[in-house]
Amino acid sequence: MTDDRPLFAAALEPVKAAAMAPVKALFVSDAREGLLLIFVAVAAIVLANSPFAHGYHALFHSVLPFTPVVKLDTLHLWINDGLMAVFFFVVGLEVKRELVEGDLADPQARRLPVLAAAAGMALPAIIFVALVRDDPGLDRGWAIPAATDIAFAMGIVGLLGDRVPQRLRLFLLTVAIVDDIGAVAIIALFYTVKVKAIWMIASVLVAAALAVLNMRKVDRLWPYVVGAVVLWLCVLNSGIHATIAGVVAALTIPMRTADDKPLLARAEHGLAPWNAYLVVPLFGFANAGVDLRGIGLDGFLAPLPLAIAAGLVLGKQAGIMGAVAGARWLGIAKLPDGTSWLQLWGIAALCGIGFTMSLFIGTMAFADTPDLFEQAKLGVLTGTLVSVLIGYFLLRVVPGPAEPESE
């Protein structure tokens, strides 16, 4: 009798590979980061709606018995104004690397994602303002749905494995980086209440000193770190949000030392794991806890959460897809090679994952109105969840990579 077992095992290989693909994807770096953010968001919501809700809020908002910085007298403030400066420092490093040596350095390569990101920020803001126009005071949150969470979005893409072409991953990453640049500019320009001249002058002088270190090609990181901390303290007291110091300090780090060693890359690689696995999750855990008890359908359809969710879901997709279609029609750009319109739609949906940056902007927009910030959190989490479901579904069911589009 012939043994058909090897033949049968070979026939099962494709089925086994398909079944194991999602499991393997869980161990990809991008996927781990995204899953961690999902976990902390769920944990925060569960605690905020449990008998431990009071303890959860007290942990972050109770006045600390001691603080070395008077302005930061709660754990929540230390996370939002202190640890998040590290997040923005890493963002600044990433932005500089992309502008100098990455895809943003090539005018042709950056054209499409920059246009898509600009439209993907403008349209959500327009939708938000249109939906809250009859409610005075809510328009302060216009920038909340304009942001994209890089780690969360790339984490979902990581779960999809090779179903997402590499060029489409790069497109998403570039759009999200341009989004970050826009978000930083928005924070600096529109969420600065009152500037204190003395501290502002001190901030400029410290930034200038860091620039001198750059020009002299100082090849050690510690002088930049010391300067960054001093700059953060000055900016914190100036009235501008302290996290802007992180971006400014990052831009002064040289790409390479005098003997051509990659100084910026060393700093980025050293901080990236701390940023991904401590800073961002801790921020999410401290800010995502929204009390859902007693909130019915009317709560989700209130002007503020509805406007934020609509901006993230509808505005992001329509803005990005519209920009790509317009650029293609005008002949100034084309679809990334090996991608289809449906795949691009899935990526546009994932750009509606606001989470970290959206929550962060929400903390500034409604700093003095906790009730409105709770509504803003509800809108961010709803819009993010819907965007995840739409994006994951589209990228999961769409066939493999398309043929490259002809010029």
Side-chain angles (χ1 to χ4, degrees), residues 57-64 73-75:
H57 291 293
L59 172 65
F60 295 109
H61 296 282
S62 295
V63 176
L64 296 170
D73 60 355
T74 67
L75 183 58

Side-chain angles (χ1 to χ4, degrees), residues 316-337:
K316 281 291 184 183
Q317 292 180 48
I320 291 171
M321 294 298 287
V324 173
R328 185 172 176 272
W329 181 71
L330 292 170
I332 60 176
K334 64 185 182 70
L335 290 182
D337 291 340

Side-chain angles (χ1 to χ4, degrees), residues 129-194:
V129 172
L131 290 176
V132 303
R133 66 185 184 278
D134 296 326
D135 295 89
L138 297 187
D139 56 349
R140 288 177 295 163
W142 65 271
I144 295 174
T148 296
D149 190 304
I150 295 180
F152 208 144
M154 292 303 293
I156 301 301
V157 168
L159 287 174
L160 290 159
D162 58 7
R163 298 191 71 84
V164 182
Q166 184 58 34
R167 291 204 174 242
L168 210 53
R169 291 170 183 255
L170 188 59
F171 175 81
L172 170 61
L173 183 61
T174 310
V175 168
I177 288 171
V178 176
D179 255 3
D180 277 348
I181 296 173
V184 169
I186 287 169
I187 292 168
L189 294 173
F190 298 100
Y191 291 101
T192 297
V193 182
K194 185 179 179 181

Side-chain angles (χ1 to χ4, degrees), residues 286-311:
N287 289 277
V290 57
D291 191 345
L292 300 174
R293 290 171 292 187
I295 295 181
L297 184 60
D298 290 345
F300 286 91
L301 297 179
L304 183 56
L306 179 62
I308 292 172

Side-chain angles (χ1 to χ4, degrees), residues 16 28 59 96 117 134 238 244 262 267 318 357:
K16 207 167 33 168
V28 177
L59 172 65
K96 180 171 181 176
D134 296 326
S238 72
I244 298 300
M357 196 66 85

